[in-house]
Amino acid sequence: MTDAHLDGQAAEERAARRAKVAALRDAGRDPYPVRFDRDATAAGLHASHGDIDAGAETDVEVRIAGRVLLLRRQGKLIFATLRDGTGAVQLFVSKAAIGDEGFAEIDDLDLGDWIGVTGTVMKTRKGELSVAVRSCTLLAKSLRPLPDKWHGLADVETRYRQRYVDLISNDEARRVFEIRFAIIGAIRSALSERAFLEVETPLLHPIPGGATARPFVTHHNALDLDLYLRIAPELYLKRLIVAGLEKVFEIGRVFRNEGISTRHNPEFTMLELYEAFVDYTEMMALTEELIACAARAAIGTTAVTWDGHDLDLAPPYRRRTLIDLVRDHAGVDVHPSQPVGDLQVMCDRLGVTYDDEWGPGKLVLEIYEKTTEHAVVEPTFVLDYPREVSPLARAHRDDPVLTERFELIVGGREIANAFSELNDPADQRSRFEEQARLASMGDVEAHGVDDDYLRALEYGLPPCGGMGMGIDRLAMLIAGVGSIREVVLFPHLRPEGG
């Protein structure tokens, strides 16, 4: 059957459904009433009556509402599946019980219609918990036919573009998003138990900062001022540590004007947290505890399958320095103290491309990312990144050209990034000025000097650790899906038809 023929069928179906709406209105009935007072849900019915005997009928009357997903007509009986936000329950409709007019109204329903019913709880002889319908009210007429219940939306891009349809017909999509939001709830709960305060910081920033990324630019008309959608909440959260709020976190959207891929969406959800008087070692412990807690809450286990690998997210995670990992996987010894020319020769030998203006730290990072990161499969804290590529991290206490920074890598992908935070205002100003120099040379991911943040540091930022975790990538890992679009309700796509 051709797509054109299917489109023609859908058009005929919509026309037939619109005609039903018109007929209802002509009869003085509203096909979109204002409300329905329900007193039961599908999950509640299964919990309270799931153990009644097959064939049992009760006198428990309930009012339940949801979407019709299945209609099966058998003479003077109709069986329907009603799904609400908690699950599904069967409707048992008998013409003898509901009368000819009521039976005809239910018989005239279409898949996708929202209805409210009143009836009594029962279980069929085959053991299916049901509501024996006494009355039915149409709550919203569905003018478009649902996708085939067995196959859902066939085109992947259409699934993402019409997520409202995907979630109706796709059990796997609902499973993934249940996991995502269970993860967020578990993280919030775990941080609250640890006395972290959830805060909100601005989305519009006068100066982009907190990460190396290209920002989105917008304009505030009243102030005639260009502003930037935040690329990270880091600098505002650390201002709050200066203010004396010793444990803070935020879960919210950040925006980066970069490419779209299976791992990247221009807006995504980030957890960032900061804690006074600790360093990046405590951040490692907290990170692995939060991930294990989230996995147990979302899927009941820390065992996951990711890109064909069976992994365990239970602590402790492996800890290796970036330099040691490059030695293991690329077979070379690198260090940011090496001359730029030597590192460039090493890049040439390894097939790693680079820009001539890159310093030794950037070259070391590029060698790691191109030769090694993808091979780090089991949960691993990769430690001690070059200072040159870590402008907000404290210099390493044992090696000043490195920083006390880690990235958590699982399955070759970054899940979290953390530092012992830089709190020396003079050092931070020097790092900002170097970033401003790079920006003036055309580096769109480098940013300028944030004088207000430096002023805050001059009031005193105590020793602290901070961590940022990508919620979307964590959800991908725990749900076992390979594309970020599977865990973002409404991912960004090219314009429809473009």
Side-chain angles (χ1 to χ4, degrees):
M1 188 175 292
T2 65
D3 289 343
H5 184 60
L6 289 172
D7 289 343
Q9 281 187 328
E12 291 178 9
E13 176 98 13
R14 289 197 296 273
R17 294 187 182 201
R18 285 194 295 269
K20 290 181 180 182
V21 169
L24 288 168
R25 287 183 168 138
D26 289 343
R29 296 176 56 198
D30 185 358
Y32 303 99
V34 67
R35 63 180 293 157
F36 180 85
D37 295 319
R38 66 176 181 175
D39 58 17
T41 64
L45 290 179
H46 284 286
S48 61
H49 293 86
D51 58 355
I52 64 175
D53 294 335
E57 298 182 10
T58 77
D59 58 1
V60 177
E61 186 168 282
V62 296
R63 293 171 59 83
I64 189 167
R67 186 190 292 275
V68 178
L69 291 187
L70 179 68
L71 282 167
R72 183 162 50 93
R73 299 166 174 88
Q74 292 184 356
K76 296 182 179 181
L77 297 177
I78 296 174
F79 297 91
T81 298
L82 184 81
R83 174 180 284 150
D84 63 16
T86 70
V89 68
Q90 179 171 270
L91 303 181
F92 177 85
V93 185
S94 166
K95 181 181 282 192
I98 200 172
D100 291 347
E101 184 177 347
F103 190 85
E105 290 174 359
I106 293 176
D107 192 43
D108 202 36
L109 292 173
D110 294 297
L111 298 185
D113 289 350
W114 288 87
I115 61 172
V117 302
T118 300
T120 54
V121 181
M122 60 167 287
K123 187 171 280 188
T124 65
R125 288 193 299 273
K126 292 185 177 181
E128 185 74 25
L129 186 68
S130 306
V131 174
V133 177
R134 297 289 180 265
S135 66
C136 176
T137 303
L138 178 66
L139 302 180
K141 186 67 183 175
S142 174
L143 296 181
R144 290 178 178 264
L146 297 178
D148 180 277
K149 72 180 285 288
W150 301 111
H151 301 101
L153 292 170
D155 180 69
V156 173
E157 184 167 309
T158 303
R159 285 186 50 234
Y160 301 146
R161 195 179 299 281
Q162 298 180 25
R163 184 70 81 186
Y164 42 88
V165 181
D166 186 39
L167 289 171
I168 294 170
S169 56
N170 187 340
D171 290 340
E172 173 62 12
R174 286 195 302 278
R175 180 193 74 87
V176 168
F177 286 106
E178 287 168 0
I179 288 172
R180 177 193 174 95
F181 296 115
I183 288 169
I184 294 172
I187 288 173
R188 278 200 165 99
S189 178
L191 289 173
S192 178
E193 290 172 1
R194 290 165 172 79
F196 277 82
L197 178 68
E198 184 170 10
V199 298
E200 297 173 317
T201 61
L203 292 177
L204 295 174
H205 290 186
I207 299 174
T212 53
R214 185 173 187 170
F216 287 93
V217 185
T218 187
H219 189 77
H220 190 294
N221 291 331
L223 295 178
D224 191 23
L225 177 69
D226 280 345
L227 294 169
Y228 304 87
L229 293 180
R230 71 177 179 192
I231 57 175
E234 176 169 346
L235 301 186
Y236 284 94
L237 291 171
K238 288 196 283 194
R239 285 172 170 93
L240 296 178
I241 299 292
V242 169
L245 304 181
E246 296 177 359
K247 293 183 175 184
V248 295
F249 79 97
E250 183 170 10
I251 298 174
R253 289 294 214 202
V254 296
F255 306 85
R256 298 183 184 178
N257 197 355
E258 299 168 344
I260 296 175
S261 73
T262 57
R263 289 190 283 178
H264 299 90
N265 196 58
E267 59 173 305
F268 58 97
T269 301
M270 179 76 77
L271 161 70
E272 286 220 16
L273 60 85
Y274 294 85
E275 179 177 356
F277 314 122
V278 304
D279 64 17
Y280 75 151
T281 58
E282 281 87 358
M283 290 298 103
M284 290 181 228
L286 181 57
T287 299
E288 60 191 9
E289 289 168 9
L290 289 177
I291 290 174
C293 173
R296 292 188 187 103
I299 61 173
T301 178
T302 56
V304 299
T305 299
W306 175 246
D307 196 24
H309 300 284
D310 293 329
L311 304 171
D312 195 339
L313 302 180
Y317 298 166
R318 187 172 67 142
R319 302 183 183 191
R320 297 294 306 281
T321 68
L322 181 150
I323 289 169
D324 285 345
L325 285 170
V326 171
R327 182 185 302 115
D328 292 347
H329 291 277
V332 294
D333 289 308
V334 296
H335 194 275
S337 62
Q338 292 171 290
V340 166
D342 291 353
L343 289 167
Q344 288 177 337
V345 169
M346 203 174 296
C347 286
D348 291 336
R349 191 166 74 247
L350 295 169
V352 175
T353 58
Y354 56 87
D355 291 341
D356 289 338
E357 66 270 16
W358 286 357
K362 175 65 172 171
L363 290 168
V364 167
L365 180 65
E366 197 71 8
I367 290 171
Y368 160 74
E369 290 184 342
K370 293 299 189 294
T371 68
T372 301
E373 185 178 62
H374 67 274
V376 181
V377 175
E378 67 176 283
T380 302
F381 291 118
V382 180
L383 310 176
D384 305 343
Y385 281 62
R387 174 174 173 151
E388 180 186 336
V389 295
S390 310
L392 295 165
R394 173 186 287 272
H396 198 285
R397 66 196 77 181
D398 298 323
D399 187 339
V401 298
L402 300 176
T403 58
E404 296 192 354
R405 170 187 173 188
F406 72 76
E407 288 188 359
L408 172 63
I409 307 298
V410 185
R413 300 182 182 185
E414 175 197 344
I415 302 297
N417 184 29
F419 315 145
S420 297
E421 300 296 333
L422 176 57
N423 62 348
D424 179 340
D427 191 355
Q428 186 64 80
R429 179 175 290 279
S430 175
R431 309 265 197 107
F432 277 162
E433 288 173 350
E434 173 60 17
Q435 288 290 298
R437 184 187 71 81
L438 294 173
S440 70
M441 295 172 61
D443 187 341
V444 296
E445 294 186 349
H447 306 300
V449 177
D450 188 333
D451 286 311
D452 181 71
Y453 179 67
L454 292 170
R455 176 168 54 195
L457 288 187
E458 291 176 353
Y459 281 96
L461 174 67
C464 71
M467 185 270 287
M469 184 187 299
I471 294 295
D472 309 283
R473 289 191 182 177
L474 180 61
M476 291 169 61
L477 173 64
I478 294 175
V481 297
S483 171
I484 195 171
R485 295 179 181 182
E486 295 290 353
V487 299
V488 175
L489 280 169
F490 299 103
H492 287 270
L493 303 166
R494 296 183 185 277
E496 194 166 4

